[in-house]
Amino acid sequence: MNPPKYPASSVTPKQDTLFRHGRSISNEGSTGIAAPREGLQAPFRDGREARSMSNTNPIFGPRGSSLAQGPPPGSFSSDLKTMTMPRTVTPRTEQGPFFADYRPQDNERNSEQRQIELRDQISKETKIKIGSENLLEALTSKNAKQAKDQRTRVEAELGSSNRKIIELTSQLEEEIGRSKRPRTPPRNRLSAIFHGSPMKSPRGNDGSMQDENPAVEESESPTFALSEILQALENEGLPPDYYVERANRLVDLLKKYPSLKYDLAWPIFGLRVQTMLLSQSREVVAAGYRVTRHAITDRRSLQTIRRLNTDELVMLSLVKESKANIEREQALKFVRAFLDVKGGIHEISNIVLRTIVAIAEHHEDRLRNISTLTLLELLVRSPSKVVDAGGMASLTQALLDGSYPGSESLASAILFLFDKPNDRLHLKSCHELDAAFTVFTDPIVVHSSEEKLKASASVIIALLQSWPGLYSVSNDGFAAIKGLLLSLAYPSLLARDLILDIVNAVLQIKAPSWSSAFLAGRRLTTYGRVANLNKEASSSTAIMPEDEEEPRISLNENYLALLLAVLIQSGLPQVLSMLIQEEAAESALRRKATLLHGEMLNLANRLLPQKYSASLQVLSQLVDPDDFRPANTSLYQISMTYQIDSVSRTLYRSQAASKHPFDARTLAKQQSTSLVFHPTKQQVDYDMDEIKFRAAIVETQILNHANFLKWDWNLIEELIEGPLRNPKRLNEAITGTKFLKRLLGFYRPFKYRFSGALNTKLNQRYVRAGVSLMKTLLQSNEGIAFLWDSKFLRQLGECLSQIDRTSGFFADEPLFSNWRTSSTLTGGYFSLLGALSSDPKGLQMFERWHMINISYHIIDLRDRDDLVELLLGNMDFTLDSHLRVMLSKALTASHKHIRIFSTNLLRKYAIQAPRSETGSQSPSSVCEWAISLLVTQLYDPEVEVSEVAVQILEESCQWKSHLEYVVSCRPQLDHLNNIGAPLLLRFLSTSLGYQYLDRLDYITQEMDDWFLGRNNSYVTLVEAILSRGFSASLSDTSQSHTHEPSLLQKHPALPPHFYRELTRTKEGCNLLQDSGHFDKFVATIRDTWTEHEDQEAMTKLKGCLWAVGNIGSMELGASFLDDSDVVKWIVEITEHSEVATLRGTAFFVLGLISRSLHGMEIITEHGWLTATDYYGRSIGYCLPSSLGAFFSIGNQPQSAYTGGFRSRVRGNPPQPIADKDPIHARILDSVANTGNTVLTKKAAGELNALKTHHLEAFSSVELYRKVRDMLGRYRFHLPVRRFVLDLFNRSVIREIVLDEEESENESVRTERPMGSRPRLPLS
């Protein structure tokens, strides 16, 4: 079973986001923890194998046997398993008739588990597929005959992986759909558990377990059943399985009738619970805790339970040895159930909490992880309670040694305290989180295990990706960050590599697609992808008009700019240059540092103001700019300088067009104004002479070999995209040689060469060459005539007719069968047809071979979604043809999956930038056609389809002309509620849209809604987006980044704000002025900026900050800033507020204000620096002129930690409690000495001697209470607590729990003590 991704189910909603990155708390071995068991099963006993109560080992039912709709109170992760058998024995899952009938009816947790397993299998098969494709690519360089057998095996494995991926994907979709369907609980479920299942105990002959009718049980009153069970628990002297079985029935009854627990008669019910908890059988005690846990309702019930003296029993259970893990586990679950009750955290006694802290400090305890998690939850909800119990020391130690698997959640809990000043009082020095840096900065610890280093690296990433964490490590002049960077000097390859990964992760740098080859030692000039970057950038910039498209607002990049400035000031360029110049370092490590250095230069040039970035570009650490002479500069330094420059230029070209459209435009302008003209390879090849052309044709090997594996496909693609575009050379290739005839014959379906090739990454080059060939032939009359008369289209039309049920053509195995389209390149034929559909002549060929009619019939196929997606996904709908009608049919007449797919296809045409109308189909007319269809999709009966249409229309509305056309369509979005709200906000950005919404009376209602509450909701939304954007990890940095959507998800855009859209027009500014909302926002900021206690007031303050920032980001809205001093107060918040997250919000707001020209001038007047482009225009990022002053946050002075509070944090040594009896006084003094590590052994010997000579003293209730008070007041290790408590007789506990009076004439107790001569385990 895979470990869960989240911590215990008892994590409160407030901590749900806090612990969402926490790892599984299971730890195979000695530090694991028992799984939550929903049923304690009595063991099967028969004849001689029957055992006594004290020796009975329980069998626990699986989680699936629970009747609860959700996890019970206090339950935790299901992967924390208890060993109920020797470690040498392989545990088996209990199988029985009950499990066979009940397991198919898994709950939602099991459904999620199956989905996780299916995703893991898909990931595994995908890796096998990628490996097979890479191996096939490597085999192409070998001799075809020698590698034939190996190629056959690899292709077979690849085909098998493709089929498994399809099958597993289908199963995953079915499982997801099944989990979304409503579930109806089966009838007679309770009787199914109690009858015919291994949970039911065997019937005896004494009449104690009479045969009962299931129908009668179900028809009985729950109150009567409860009374019957409680009466059965009165019997004494029966075996443990009797009580366990009744307790299980009682729990199931409380689950089935939740309201029954509110009517419990606690005088009777409590007595039964006390009796079970005082049992000598561990299984019965565990069942007692479980019954009590399920009887909890509210805080009053917790108080009632505590009056049963359960604190004493829980303490005794938790300190027991590992062989009593069944009892200890249920006791800890019982304590954790307090967290699920409102106010229940205040009912956890200090003695119990001290015991949990002792378990968390004990490295060998199997309950350590869940105890640490319990302390984390308590720390967030009641920090003072954990500090009083001395829990901060154990949490800090767990963070230092990396023993807790969820180290990120551990750091997040401590960061939660660092955010507010009153919570920071609970931290001893505000440097607790620096322990994560010690693993790297300590020259001895740096050689620790890989797991410990990675755990600390994850904590550091979590710290640097949050405002409280960044402030906590930026004290003392960024000492912690500087120490981490300087640790690159230590000769530890693993530590160095992890430090570079940390920097990559916090700066959200993704490895380029060519990074693996570069790290392996290849040169940048050998990468095919890099050679085409300029072409891709130019094509991308063509759709980014400078005057209409507004740059996307990314708050994450604003934070990255600040973080990059911190790293630069902490010495990142210097340490990278040092590592690059270190000849003793590994070559791959130096190249990795070189790549990071190039990324740093690229980010600094794009995000930082000139004050921070100007000095970096000269590479002064490698070459002295004042004296650059070969005599003074080594050849190695010059080589490294050239390599950094090459990497920087490559990264700039590769990222400008894809990630940042504005930089792409700048790059295109710089290249267009360059004085040096560099002709491309295609331009040179276009004018190739006849001799070179014929030689190139021969070199392709098409004329020499019939085996297409021997053809030079790279040269073929160069010829197709170069000289063959020349009509003269094309005519020569058609009439003078058989080059084109054989090449086009390769694609004929009935030759089964292209159509029989496996669908692999390497074989996709055949598809690319075929698409280029179709486009090249359509550019000249000779090529059109050649394609018109070829057999290629005729055979392809015949193959398509095989799947058309009305054509009359049939085949046993059609070429476009489901298996062939997924496993072979048959699906690539639709890419070739898509190239033809972009030209009017190609559409005429469609009509000649009746492909249009066949396509209409393919759309109607309900069982071939794969074909419909291939057909629609590859067609070009730019021309006004039957293809558009076909797409309209798919948008309205197909089922939901195809409608969503077809709607997404319109994004390509709807977001085209308006350009001058050229040709028969201008971009504006194509865009209007797409927008009209999207508006129609708004009324689709499925909300998912409408949601996709709203998203695409919102993207399209970034251009004013598109927005006006959408408004002219007058869409009605009332039925979509909040889904259509972003699109309506877009309408406000134009006067036409404003008038349209004003007539609908939308603006005034929406303004009142935002002013009264939506501003606060906006704060939650933005913080969730930021949290998702900052969720980087070490694994993310090693994955190549090649997909555009993931880029947009990693830097999510700022959600639309009503006041931002309102101030785009003069009408909106006038309405805002008349409403007086801006003045009220300013007044709120001025009056409450010092607030740091009231969470509701701080949320309102943040909402006002976001409103002012969005208003000030617009040129028309920036005029409101002149009439008030709000920018001064925002700067005051960023520099002097005592709340870290509030400072961060104000920092983002200043970045928003700097986007407008007037706002940038105001921010500059207050001493802040703004980042600009090459033309002096702000890009929306601003930084303080002094980072040291910006990160100085008001920590409490050290004097605040003196006195009582300091003793609470560190813990004073135990002090004995006074007693008039000299023997008792000696015992108390020895118990106090056991808390001293130096005196522990001596004190243990004294206690054993005192028990030998004064046995009656350890039967005193008064002495026990004093020892108990001492254990609850001071810090004792877990073995010491167990040793001390085992000294007392069990009768003492019984007297305390049951409040029995001591007999006056009883001076010496004859009952066997809890442990005769206990031994204190010493390490």
Side-chain angles (χ1 to χ4, degrees):
M1 179 180 294
N2 297 325
K5 296 182 179 179
Y6 302 99
S9 61
S10 61
V11 176
T12 61
K14 179 178 179 182
Q15 306 164 45
D16 186 40
T17 57
L18 177 66
F19 295 113
R20 66 184 181 279
H21 299 303
R23 287 183 259 170
S24 170
I25 54 178
S26 66
N27 190 4
E28 296 181 4
S30 61
T31 59
I33 184 166
R37 302 180 172 99
E38 295 307 315
L40 288 169
Q41 296 187 21
F44 182 84
R45 300 187 301 122
D46 186 14
R48 292 176 301 175
E49 296 181 1
R51 291 177 289 183
S52 64
M53 177 187 299
S54 59
N55 297 326
T56 302
N57 292 326
I59 303 173
F60 289 89
R63 195 173 187 85
S65 62
S66 172
L67 293 179
Q69 298 297 327
S75 63
F76 42 86
S77 180
S78 60
D79 68 329
L80 310 176
K81 300 181 179 179
T82 299
M83 300 289 292
T84 57
M85 56 186 70
R87 299 189 180 212
T88 57
V89 180
T90 303
R92 303 180 183 177
T93 304
E94 290 290 334
Q95 301 292 341
F98 163 69
F99 298 103
D101 295 336
Y102 185 64
R103 281 192 181 275
Q105 303 172 1
D106 286 316
N107 53 15
E108 294 180 2
R109 184 183 298 272
N110 291 334
S111 178
E112 294 176 359
Q113 185 65 35
R114 287 194 296 270
Q115 293 178 29
I116 293 173
E117 294 174 355
L118 289 173
R119 289 190 177 95
D120 291 341
Q121 294 178 22
I122 291 174
S123 177
K124 178 181 178 182
E125 294 297 333
T126 303
K127 292 179 181 178
I128 295 175
K129 176 184 176 182
I130 295 174
S132 302
E133 291 175 347
N134 294 336
L135 183 56
L136 283 176
E137 186 175 359
L139 291 176
T140 56
S141 60
K142 295 185 178 181
N143 191 311
K145 293 184 179 180
Q146 296 178 356
K148 182 178 180 181
D149 295 339
Q150 191 174 2
R151 177 186 293 275
T152 302
R153 293 194 298 269
V154 175
E155 289 178 348
E157 183 67 27
L158 183 59
S160 175
S161 297
N162 288 330
R163 289 191 295 271
K164 289 181 179 179
I165 290 175
I166 295 173
E167 181 181 354
L168 291 172
T169 304
S170 176
Q171 294 179 8
L172 179 60
E173 292 176 354
E174 293 178 359
E175 186 62 39
I176 293 175
R178 188 183 303 114
S179 64
K180 293 181 179 180
R181 290 195 294 267
R183 304 175 184 274
T184 303
R187 296 182 61 186
N188 296 334
R189 193 173 178 184
L190 189 62
S191 60
I193 293 179
F194 290 143
H195 297 273
S197 72
M199 293 176 62
K200 182 152 180 76
S201 302
R203 298 182 178 89
N205 297 326
D206 54 355
S208 60
M209 303 179 187
Q210 299 178 359
D211 192 6
E212 297 172 345
N213 191 346
V216 175
E217 277 193 4
E218 290 297 325
S219 61
E220 286 181 352
S221 168
T223 307
F224 178 79
L226 175 63
S227 302
E228 186 180 39
I229 295 175
L230 294 178
Q231 185 177 2
L233 290 175
E234 290 183 4
N235 299 327
E236 298 180 359
L238 296 176
D241 55 0
Y242 174 86
Y243 301 100
V244 170
E245 195 269 342
R246 263 61 182 178
N248 287 338
R249 289 176 55 187
L250 180 55
V251 170
D252 293 336
L253 187 65
L254 294 176
K255 288 180 180 180
K256 185 174 183 181
Y257 303 100
S259 60
L260 195 61
K261 65 180 70 175
Y262 294 94
D263 301 327
L264 291 175
W266 277 101
I268 300 176
F269 184 81
L271 182 60
R272 303 295 179 271
V273 168
Q274 286 179 322
T275 304
M276 295 182 68
L277 295 180
L278 289 171
S279 173
Q280 296 185 8
S281 171
R282 296 189 294 267
E283 295 77 33
V284 177
V285 176
Y289 283 124
R290 183 166 175 260
V291 169
T292 311
R293 170 162 55 94
H294 284 85
I296 294 175
T297 56
D298 51 15
R299 186 174 179 179
R300 292 187 59 185
S301 66
L302 292 178
Q303 295 172 350
T304 303
I305 291 173
R306 288 193 62 194
R307 284 195 291 269
L308 301 176
N309 297 308
T310 53
D311 292 344
E312 311 288 342
L313 298 169
V314 170
M315 176 189 64
L316 290 173
S317 297
L318 290 177
V319 301
K320 289 186 177 180
E321 297 180 351
S322 58
K323 61 182 179 180
N325 270 336
I326 299 169
E327 178 181 341
R328 300 176 71 228
E329 173 191 334
Q330 291 296 329
L332 189 54
K333 283 186 180 183
F334 170 70
V335 176
R336 288 179 56 82
F338 284 45
L339 303 178
D340 297 332
V341 178
K342 184 179 180 180
I345 188 174
H346 303 293
E347 299 300 328
I348 300 178
S349 64
N350 200 47
I351 180 64
V352 173
L353 192 54
R354 283 275 187 181
T355 308
I356 295 177
V357 171
I359 296 175
E361 293 176 347
H362 194 53
H363 290 270
E364 299 179 358
D365 199 290
R366 300 180 70 244
L367 297 182
R368 184 191 183 194
N369 290 334
I370 192 59
S371 298
T372 303
L373 179 60
T374 305
L375 293 178
L376 287 181
E377 299 180 26
L378 288 168
L379 181 66
V380 173
R381 301 174 63 179
S382 180
S384 60
K385 201 172 187 65
V386 177
V387 173
D388 290 339
M392 286 300 301
S394 63
L395 295 179
T396 306
Q397 184 61 34
L399 185 66
L400 177 62
D401 56 26
S403 59
Y404 181 63
S407 53
E408 297 93 338
S409 61
L410 180 58
S412 299
I414 300 178
L415 285 179
F416 180 80
L417 300 183
F418 191 87
D419 187 25
K420 300 177 183 178
N422 287 348
D423 290 338
R424 283 196 292 273
L425 287 172
H426 300 291
L427 299 177
K428 180 172 62 176
S429 63
C430 293
H431 290 280
E432 283 80 2
L433 294 171
D434 291 352
F437 293 83
T438 307
V439 180
F440 292 96
T441 57
D442 193 326
I444 299 177
V445 185
V446 74
H447 299 284
S448 303
S449 63
E450 180 178 358
E451 294 181 359
K452 187 174 182 178
L453 288 173
K454 286 186 176 181
S456 298
S458 300
V459 172
I460 294 174
I461 293 173
L463 294 180
L464 295 179
Q465 288 183 336
S466 66
W467 284 110
L470 186 58
Y471 276 103
S472 67
V473 300
S474 298
N475 293 326
D476 302 331
F478 312 104
I481 300 177
K482 290 179 180 178
L484 175 68
L485 296 178
L486 291 176
S487 300
L488 284 171
Y490 294 146
S492 174
L493 179 60
L494 178 60
R496 286 179 161 187
D497 189 66
L498 283 177
I499 293 175
L500 295 180
D501 286 341
I502 289 172
V503 178
N504 281 318
V506 297
L507 294 179
Q508 298 187 356
I509 296 174
K510 294 297 181 181
S513 57
W514 42 267
S515 62
S516 58
F518 173 73
L519 296 178
R522 292 175 59 187
R523 297 177 57 189
L524 285 172
T525 54
T526 61
Y527 307 147
R529 293 186 180 92
V530 178
N532 298 325
L533 288 176
N534 286 332
K535 178 181 176 182
E536 296 175 359
S538 61
S539 63
S540 298
T541 55
I543 65 170
M544 296 295 177
E546 186 176 335
D547 55 344
E548 297 204 24
E549 190 268 339
E550 180 183 348
R552 186 173 52 90
I553 303 176
S554 175
L555 297 180
N556 286 20
E557 291 196 347
N558 200 356
Y559 183 84
L560 290 181
L562 177 64
L563 189 56
L564 179 61
V566 170
L567 292 174
I568 291 175
Q569 187 162 330
S570 301
L572 178 61
Q574 291 79 6
V575 297
L576 289 179
S577 300
M578 174 197 67
L579 185 58
I580 293 172
Q581 297 180 72
E582 184 180 339
E583 300 183 3
E586 294 286 337
S587 175
L589 189 64
R590 292 202 307 269
R591 282 181 166 264
K592 190 171 185 178
T594 302
L595 185 59
L596 177 56
H597 200 293
E599 292 275 10
M600 179 192 65
L601 294 178
N602 184 29
L603 286 174
N605 182 57
R606 181 169 55 82
L607 300 179
L608 296 183
Q610 293 185 0
K611 177 183 177 180
Y612 293 98
S613 62
S615 60
L616 296 176
Q617 308 300 331
V618 297
L619 302 179
S620 59
Q621 296 81 17
L622 292 176
V623 178
D624 187 2
D626 298 329
D627 189 12
F628 180 70
R629 291 179 297 178
N632 298 330
T633 306
S634 66
L635 182 62
Y636 184 78
Q637 289 176 321
I638 297 176
S639 175
M640 290 296 100
T641 303
Y642 169 77
Q643 197 171 62
I644 292 175
D645 178 66
S646 179
V647 169
S648 299
R649 285 186 284 107
T650 303
L651 290 171
Y652 184 68
R653 292 197 306 268
S654 62
Q655 296 177 358
S658 59
K659 290 178 65 174
H660 306 284
F662 186 81
D663 289 344
R665 292 196 299 270
T666 305
L667 176 63
K669 290 185 178 181
Q670 289 177 344
Q671 293 177 347
S672 63
T673 57
S674 177
L675 299 177
V676 182
F677 176 72
H678 298 283
T680 62
K681 184 175 180 61
Q682 292 182 5
Q683 292 171 332
V684 175
D685 292 340
Y686 183 86
D687 299 328
M688 184 181 292
D689 58 24
E690 182 180 354
I691 297 177
K692 292 183 178 179
F693 178 67
R694 288 183 176 272
I697 288 179
V698 174
E699 290 178 4
T700 59
Q701 303 298 325
I702 290 180
L703 303 179
N704 300 332
H705 299 283
N707 187 358
F708 64 91
L709 296 176
K710 297 182 179 180
W711 296 354
D712 189 346
W713 285 96
N714 293 329
L715 182 57
I716 292 173
E717 288 189 51
E718 292 179 4
L719 289 175
I720 293 174
E721 297 178 357
L724 286 180
R725 294 183 182 268
N726 189 336
K728 183 177 180 180
R729 296 290 167 250
L730 180 61
N731 186 39
E732 182 180 347
I734 294 174
T735 59
T737 65
K738 295 184 178 180
F739 174 77
L740 279 181
K741 182 179 179 181
R742 289 190 176 182
L743 180 59
L744 192 59
F746 165 73
Y747 291 97
R748 284 164 56 181
F750 291 150
K751 285 194 174 183
Y752 294 101
R753 304 173 78 185
F754 174 80
S755 60
L758 292 178
N759 185 13
T760 63
K761 180 181 178 181
L762 177 63
N763 289 347
Q764 289 298 317
R765 57 182 177 173
Y766 306 144
V767 180
R768 293 193 298 268
V771 172
S772 300
L773 180 61
M774 296 297 109
K775 293 181 178 180
T776 300
L777 293 177
L778 289 174
Q779 290 183 0
S780 63
N781 295 330
E782 293 83 359
I784 293 173
F786 175 74
L787 190 59
W788 186 276
D789 298 333
S790 67
K791 298 180 181 179
F792 165 70
L793 291 177
R794 184 181 65 186
Q795 292 185 6
L796 186 56
E798 183 178 346
C799 293
L800 286 173
S801 64
Q802 294 175 358
I803 57 176
D804 182 4
R805 297 167 183 172
T806 63
S807 64
F809 290 89
F810 300 97
D812 294 337
E813 185 180 355
L815 184 72
F816 291 97
S817 62
N818 196 350
W819 176 84
R820 295 187 67 88
T821 54
S822 61
S823 302
T824 66
L825 293 181
T826 303
Y829 281 117
F830 290 99
S831 299
L832 275 62
L833 293 177
L836 294 176
S837 65
S838 61
D839 190 271
K841 295 295 184 180
L843 293 176
Q844 292 180 10
M845 297 178 191
F846 272 43
E847 296 177 357
R848 182 188 181 191
W849 301 110
H850 308 288
M851 293 185 187
I852 295 294
N853 295 336
I854 297 174
S855 298
Y856 275 112
H857 297 153
I858 291 177
I859 297 298
D860 294 332
L861 296 177
R862 296 290 180 174
D863 56 344
R864 292 303 305 273
D865 289 351
D866 58 327
L867 273 184
V868 177
E869 291 181 0
L870 283 172
L871 176 62
L872 296 177
N874 288 282
M875 292 299 109
D876 191 340
F877 301 99
T878 304
L879 300 177
D880 189 2
S881 63
H882 280 281
L883 295 179
R884 289 190 176 182
V885 181
M886 183 174 62
L887 179 61
S888 301
K889 181 180 179 181
L891 287 169
T892 55
S894 300
H895 52 81
K896 184 178 72 172
H897 174 70
I898 297 299
R899 296 204 306 274
I900 294 176
F901 177 81
S902 304
T903 305
N904 279 314
L905 292 178
L906 294 173
R907 175 181 276 106
K908 171 184 174 182
Y909 307 97
I911 64 175
Q912 289 184 1
R915 291 174 288 179
S916 59
E917 297 190 2
T918 57
S920 58
Q921 291 292 325
S922 65
S924 59
S925 62
V926 175
C927 184
E928 290 175 0
W929 162 78
I931 290 176
S932 300
L933 292 180
L934 288 171
V935 172
T936 304
Q937 294 302 100
L938 294 176
Y939 311 108
D940 193 278
E942 296 291 342
V943 179
E944 292 87 346
V945 180
S946 302
E947 187 175 2
V948 174
V950 169
Q951 293 173 358
I952 300 174
L953 286 174
E954 185 184 358
E955 295 176 18
S956 179
C957 287
Q958 60 185 327
W959 287 278
K960 183 177 179 180
S961 58
H962 296 175
L963 176 58
E964 291 179 348
Y965 184 77
V966 174
V967 174
S968 65
C969 295
R970 298 182 177 275
Q972 299 294 329
L973 302 175
D974 296 341
H975 63 287
L976 296 178
N977 298 326
N978 293 333
I979 296 177
L983 184 57
L984 290 176
L985 289 181
R986 285 285 190 180
F987 289 179
L988 289 174
S989 59
T990 62
S991 297
L992 182 62
Y994 181 90
Q995 296 170 6
Y996 171 69
L997 294 177
D998 190 31
R999 287 193 297 268
L1000 298 177
D1001 197 21
Y1002 168 81
I1003 299 177
T1004 55
Q1005 294 181 8
E1006 192 72 6
M1007 175 180 284
D1008 294 338
D1009 190 14
W1010 275 81
F1011 183 75
L1012 296 176
R1014 291 280 292 278
N1015 266 335
N1016 298 344
S1017 302
Y1018 186 83
V1019 173
T1020 305
L1021 176 62
V1022 172
E1023 291 180 351
I1025 291 176
L1026 288 172
S1027 177
R1028 184 169 64 248
F1030 290 147
S1031 59
S1033 61
L1034 289 176
S1035 59
D1036 295 337
T1037 61
S1038 59
Q1039 300 174 359
S1040 297
H1041 192 56
T1042 56
H1043 301 291
E1044 291 295 328
S1046 57
L1047 266 174
L1048 298 178
Q1049 293 172 4
K1050 206 60 189 178
H1051 297 283
L1054 182 69
H1057 197 284
F1058 173 79
Y1059 289 100
R1060 173 183 173 83
E1061 304 301 327
L1062 185 66
T1063 51
R1064 290 178 182 268
T1065 59
K1066 293 182 179 179
E1067 296 90 342
C1069 292
N1070 294 333
L1071 179 63
L1072 180 61
Q1073 183 70 35
D1074 296 338
S1075 65
H1077 288 181
F1078 185 82
D1079 296 334
K1080 295 178 181 178
F1081 293 149
V1082 175
T1084 302
I1085 294 173
R1086 185 192 308 114
D1087 297 338
T1088 62
W1089 75 272
T1090 58
E1091 179 62 46
H1092 58 268
E1093 283 302 317
D1094 189 354
Q1095 184 64 38
E1096 184 177 352
M1098 286 194 295
T1099 302
K1100 184 178 181 180
L1101 175 60
K1102 291 179 181 179
C1104 294
L1105 287 172
W1106 283 116
V1108 171
N1110 279 279
I1111 293 173
S1113 65
M1114 307 307 301
E1115 294 297 339
L1116 295 177
S1119 61
F1120 287 89
L1121 302 176
D1122 285 334
D1123 301 333
S1124 64
D1125 55 353
V1126 64
V1127 176
K1128 182 189 75 173
W1129 292 107
I1130 297 176
V1131 173
E1132 192 75 13
I1133 292 174
T1134 58
E1135 296 178 352
H1136 299 98
S1137 176
E1138 296 183 354
V1139 182
T1141 54
L1142 189 58
R1143 280 191 174 195
T1145 301
F1147 173 79
F1148 287 136
V1149 169
L1150 288 178
L1152 281 177
I1153 295 176
S1154 70
R1155 300 184 73 86
S1156 62
L1157 179 60
H1158 191 59
M1160 182 177 65
E1161 294 175 354
I1162 297 177
I1163 289 177
T1164 305
E1165 293 175 358
H1166 286 83
W1168 280 57
L1169 305 174
T1170 58
T1172 59
D1173 60 8
Y1174 295 99
Y1175 300 97
R1177 291 172 297 194
S1178 174
I1179 58 177
Y1181 309 139
C1182 62
L1183 294 176
S1185 56
S1186 174
L1187 290 178
F1190 176 78
F1191 282 105
S1192 61
I1193 196 166
N1195 291 328
Q1196 296 295 326
Q1198 290 297 327
S1199 59
Y1201 297 96
T1202 59
F1205 185 80
R1206 191 168 186 174
S1207 65
R1208 291 163 54 208
V1209 176
R1210 297 186 177 181
N1212 288 330
Q1215 300 295 329
I1217 300 177
D1219 195 292
K1220 297 180 180 180
D1221 190 333
I1223 302 300
H1224 289 184
R1226 289 179 57 189
I1227 293 175
L1228 292 174
D1229 185 66
S1230 298
V1231 170
N1233 290 336
T1234 57
N1236 190 327
T1237 307
V1238 178
L1239 303 176
T1240 301
K1241 188 174 182 180
K1242 179 181 178 181
E1246 293 176 355
L1247 287 173
N1248 281 325
L1250 287 171
K1251 182 173 183 178
T1252 303
H1253 298 90
H1254 306 281
L1255 182 61
E1256 69 282 356
F1258 292 93
S1259 300
S1260 172
V1261 174
E1262 180 183 359
L1263 177 63
Y1264 176 83
R1265 293 184 187 276
K1266 292 184 178 181
V1267 171
R1268 190 267 317 270
D1269 293 341
M1270 191 182 302
L1271 294 177
R1273 189 180 304 176
Y1274 301 106
R1275 176 174 176 265
F1276 291 87
H1277 292 295
L1278 183 64
V1280 173
R1281 290 176 177 271
R1282 182 186 308 124
F1283 168 77
V1284 171
L1285 292 175
D1286 284 348
L1287 292 171
F1288 290 88
N1289 294 333
R1290 183 177 296 274
S1291 59
V1292 177
I1293 307 300
R1294 185 176 184 88
E1295 290 180 8
I1296 294 176
V1297 173
L1298 299 180
D1299 295 329
E1300 294 179 353
E1301 297 292 338
E1302 292 184 312
S1303 178
E1304 295 181 357
N1305 57 0
E1306 183 181 4
S1307 58
V1308 180
R1309 304 195 178 267
T1310 58
E1311 184 180 349
R1312 183 181 180 272
M1314 294 174 62
S1316 56
R1317 296 194 59 82
R1319 297 181 180 180
L1320 176 63
L1322 300 175
S1323 56

